[in-house]
Amino acid sequence: MIDAQRFPLLSAIALPADLRQLTEDQLPQLVDELRGYLIESVGKSGGHFAAGLGVVELTVALHWLFDTPHDRLVWDVGHQCYPHKILTGRRDLIHTVKQKDGIAPFPKRDESDYDAFGVGHSSTSISAALGMAVAAAHQGDLRQVVAVIGDGAMTAGMAYEALNHAGGMQPEPNVLVVLNDNRMSISENVGGMTKMFGRMTASRTLNAMREGGKRLLGDKRNAAARFVRRWEEHWKGMFVPSTLFEEMGFHYTGPIDGHDLPALVAALKTLKSMRGPQLLHIITTKGKGFELAEEDQIGWHAVGPFDPTTGVVTKPAAKKPTYTDVFSDWLCDMASTDARLLAITPAMREGSGLVRFSKEYPQRYFDVAIAEQHAVTLAAGMACEGAKPVVAIYSTFLQRAYDQLIHDVALQNLDVLFAIDRAGIVGPDGATHAGSFDLSFLRCIPNMIVMAPSDEAECRRMLTTGFLHAGPAAVRYPRGSGTGVAAGESLAPFPIGKAEMRRAGYGIALLAFGALLPAAEAAAKELNATVVNMRFVQPLDREVILELARTHQAFVTLEDNAIAGGAGSAVLELLATEGLAMPTLVLGLPDRYLEHASREQLLMEVGLDAAGVVRQIRARFPTLALASSA
């Protein structure tokens, strides 16, 4: 429970209605208490940290001025929402964030009425807020809708699609977009839009001239005033590109200091009373109020538990190299042998393991910002000219570029390698970040080679296999470390479509795809069953499967992917095509979204740990299982 003596105002706020009982003079104290409580809470639990510190003033101002939840508040990306959760009835649960049965790390509609829109991916807020505003107007509801976008989300095309639509609508929608400009996503923001925002920030004098000019010009309906105004806007647009938003149909205000609470409240008060599309541009500091986070905004984006006084992060026990580490080393090693290799990431340099490559090969490294569609088609264009592009991307983010994957890469059979991180069960980040569907949506695409490594050494060799293959290929691997097998230095490929026999047994054959091979081997040892490391989801090793069907009585397929349409489905399709009625148990992720918890907890929950695999096999094939283990 919160300490009422240390946090007297915050402890009295159960919901935003309580916050709105405070006077404006009390808000600075509440801001200080909220920031202090956030530091203390995340220090205990770990979680997303720096982004939330940067929006404390904004969160307080929005909930104080707007009648939430009737007025809709839509957060983009969502990792800056901890202050929002603290003020909206989840204060005493914030220490459970990301934990099993705890609160979600992102806004979640079924968790709270104050979470107007569920989110975990970027650049959705303006579209969602516009939809809410249109629906409210259609129903005659005067509720107000606010979208908070930032942390790199304005680098994605979807945000501009929404701005373009909203700004051209008639009648004009009543929607307020708050651009939280901190020049960061997880890494530093990149691209032309970031440079433009930087010029805007540096041009406070010209912004003042611009606003003063509007007042002096008077009634914009006057013909002369319209001419002078247009000349004035375009002249200053060379220095202050705020005209971009105004030309798109938004009334632009800013930039203002997002940590200057009186100025922020005053601006929001004014905008609250205005009709039509509005955009407020605020400048904030990611990690505000915690010196270490301000100085290292990337390192403190998300952290484990730490001491709020010293900033010392609790060090976990020494860990084995992760699959991301394996990819990072492979990428640099392969680049040293093949000058055609170019690496692309959609704003995930740290998460996807490209830090080392970006330093060693800066001219061959391309961070395209949060623009997954562009990343894939950029790779397609590179491949057209003889380059060998490698797209490093999270499984859940590749979903956002599915049309480009099919239309721009696979249809043209272009030579692009997809290194797909965070595949399968991800864990604490929850359903928005779970890579549960990639085997299903990849294996149905013609020309695509799909591989799933069972350990670190296989991952390295599969990356080489995909890179050397003349056509599109994908290697999907899980978050975290593998079995501890040394990845080595080999750049030798695998023969495409060939499985590996790992254990000879009787009765039941376990066909394991990827990271579930250890669970399959442990179960097979108890049941005296056969185990095959399938390695390839597409193409399948047809010869091995047909031979096993001749010599065994049942199959069990295992995959860290949705059962629907996944690797097990591919095996069933092959058997059906061959006219074989082979009893088959397909084990994988169930037909539902999994909540946040550790990877180990979730595997146990869905019966994909070794004990769960044995239990399900015995339930499905009791006679065979008993005979095999006898």
Side-chain angles (χ1 to χ4, degrees), residues 97-128:
V97 69
K98 287 193 169 191
Q99 299 172 19
K100 183 173 174 57
D101 301 323
I103 64 173
F106 303 104
K108 197 166 184 284
R109 279 172 55 83
D110 60 8
E111 183 177 283
S112 171
D113 290 340
Y114 292 89
D115 292 356
F117 195 73
V119 66
H121 295 182
S122 84
S123 315
T124 60
S125 63
I126 304 176
S127 296

Side-chain angles (χ1 to χ4, degrees), residues 58 61-62 66 146-149 175-181 245 250-258 263-269 271 277-283:
L58 176 63
L62 288 172
F66 290 89
V146 182
V148 181
I149 187 167
V175 61
L176 167 62
V177 175
V178 179
L179 171 55
N180 173 35
D181 182 4
F245 299 114
F250 277 73
H251 176 272
Y252 173 88
T253 301
I256 67 171
D257 183 351
L264 184 59
V265 169
L268 286 170
K269 278 183 178 178
L271 293 172
Q278 310 291 325
L279 190 141
L280 172 63
H281 183 183
I282 68 172
I283 309 299

Side-chain angles (χ1 to χ4, degrees), residues 100 424-431 434 589-590 592-609:
K100 183 173 174 57
I425 291 176
V426 172
D429 281 343
L589 302 183
R592 61 182 174 87
Y593 295 103
L594 301 180
E595 299 296 333
H596 47 280
S598 71
R599 177 175 168 84
E600 294 72 23
Q601 287 171 324
L602 291 173
L603 286 171
M604 184 180 298
E605 178 184 317
V606 298
L608 293 179
D609 60 330

Side-chain angles (χ1 to χ4, degrees), residues 347-404:
M348 295 303 297
R349 180 183 64 192
E350 285 75 21
S352 291
L354 287 162
V355 173
R356 178 186 162 197
F357 184 89
S358 69
K359 294 176 180 177
E360 294 184 12
Y361 299 97
Q363 300 306 312
R364 296 161 67 180
Y365 165 73
F366 301 89
D367 184 344
V368 302
I370 304 176
E372 295 86 358
Q373 294 173 304
H374 167 59
V376 173
T377 305
L378 175 70
M382 290 174 173
C384 286
E385 299 303 320
K388 297 279 286 187
V390 178
V391 179
I393 191 167
Y394 284 13
S395 172
T396 187
F397 297 150
L398 183 57
Q399 296 166 182
R400 311 187 83 187
Y402 194 54
D403 180 61
Q404 287 70 27

Side-chain angles (χ1 to χ4, degrees), residues 249-309:
F250 277 73
H251 176 272
Y252 173 88
T253 301
I256 67 171
D257 183 351
H259 302 300
D260 183 342
L261 190 60
L264 184 59
V265 169
L268 286 170
K269 278 183 178 178
T270 300
L271 293 172
K272 183 182 177 183
S273 65
M274 299 176 68
R275 313 302 291 171
Q278 310 291 325
L279 190 141
L280 172 63
H281 183 183
I282 68 172
I283 309 299
T284 62
T285 299
K286 192 171 181 177
K288 178 70 174 178
F290 193 74
E291 185 175 355
L292 292 173
E294 291 187 38
E295 293 174 353
D296 181 11
Q297 296 174 340
I298 297 173
W300 286 85
H301 171 77
V303 294
F306 65 93
D307 185 331
T309 304

Side-chain angles (χ1 to χ4, degrees), residues 174-476:
N174 292 316
V175 61
L176 167 62
V177 175
V178 179
L179 171 55
N180 173 35
D181 182 4
N182 60 15
R183 300 197 184 97
M184 297 291 293
S185 52
I186 295 176
S187 306
E188 299 90 347
N189 281 344
V190 297
M193 296 304 301
T194 299
K195 292 180 180 178
M196 186 195 81
F197 292 147
R199 292 196 301 272
M200 295 168 79
T201 305
S203 305
R204 296 183 186 278
T205 300
L206 288 173
N207 267 283
M209 289 172 56
R210 173 176 172 273
E211 295 304 318
K214 283 185 177 182
R215 290 191 295 270
L216 289 173
L217 288 167
D219 188 352
K220 64 182 180 181
R221 293 171 295 184
N222 177 278
R226 285 201 306 271
F227 172 80
V228 176
R229 182 183 296 274
R230 183 170 295 276
W231 176 85
E232 178 248 0
E233 291 291 355
H234 283 286
W235 178 81
K236 286 196 296 295
M238 293 185 291
F239 305 97
V240 189
S242 56
T243 50
L244 167 70
F245 299 114
E246 300 234 348
E247 293 290 353
M248 294 181 77
F250 277 73
H251 176 272
Y252 173 88
T253 301
I256 67 171
D257 183 351
H259 302 300
D260 183 342
L261 190 60
L264 184 59
V265 169
L268 286 170
K269 278 183 178 178
T270 300
L271 293 172
K272 183 182 177 183
S273 65
M274 299 176 68
R275 313 302 291 171
Q278 310 291 325
L279 190 141
L280 172 63
H281 183 183
I282 68 172
I283 309 299
T284 62
T285 299
K286 192 171 181 177
K288 178 70 174 178
F290 193 74
E291 185 175 355
L292 292 173
E294 291 187 38
E295 293 174 353
D296 181 11
Q297 296 174 340
I298 297 173
W300 286 85
H301 171 77
V303 294
F306 65 93
D307 185 331
T309 304
T310 64
V312 175
V313 178
T314 303
K315 293 293 184 183
K319 291 185 175 181
K320 298 168 284 191
T322 65
Y323 281 101
T324 306
D325 296 332
V326 172
F327 167 72
S328 177
D329 292 340
W330 171 85
L331 187 68
C332 292
D333 292 346
M334 184 57 76
S336 71
T337 69
D338 194 327
R340 297 174 299 165
L341 187 153
L342 304 175
I344 302 169
T345 177
M348 295 303 297
R349 180 183 64 192
E350 285 75 21
S352 291
L354 287 162
V355 173
R356 178 186 162 197
F357 184 89
S358 69
K359 294 176 180 177
E360 294 184 12
Y361 299 97
Q363 300 306 312
R364 296 161 67 180
Y365 165 73
F366 301 89
D367 184 344
V368 302
I370 304 176
E372 295 86 358
Q373 294 173 304
H374 167 59
V376 173
T377 305
L378 175 70
M382 290 174 173
C384 286
E385 299 303 320
K388 297 279 286 187
V390 178
V391 179
I393 191 167
Y394 284 13
S395 172
T396 187
F397 297 150
L398 183 57
Q399 296 166 182
R400 311 187 83 187
Y402 194 54
D403 180 61
Q404 287 70 27
L405 183 66
I406 296 173
H407 182 272
D408 298 340
V409 175
L411 180 62
Q412 304 183 87
N413 201 30
L414 292 174
D415 200 356
V416 179
L417 172 62
F418 295 89
I420 304 173
D421 205 332
R422 272 59 167 186
I425 291 176
V426 172
D429 281 343
T432 60
H433 284 61
S436 306
F437 312 109
D438 52 56
L439 294 185
S440 300
F441 70 65
L442 286 170
R443 77 169 191 85
C444 64
I445 301 175
N447 298 332
M448 180 70 68
I449 303 296
V450 184
M451 294 167 275
S454 63
D455 61 38
E456 299 89 329
E458 279 196 347
C459 184
R460 182 179 173 92
R461 292 190 63 187
M462 285 180 179
L463 288 164
T464 300
T465 305
F467 182 78
L468 297 179
H469 171 68
V475 181
R476 58 96 73 172

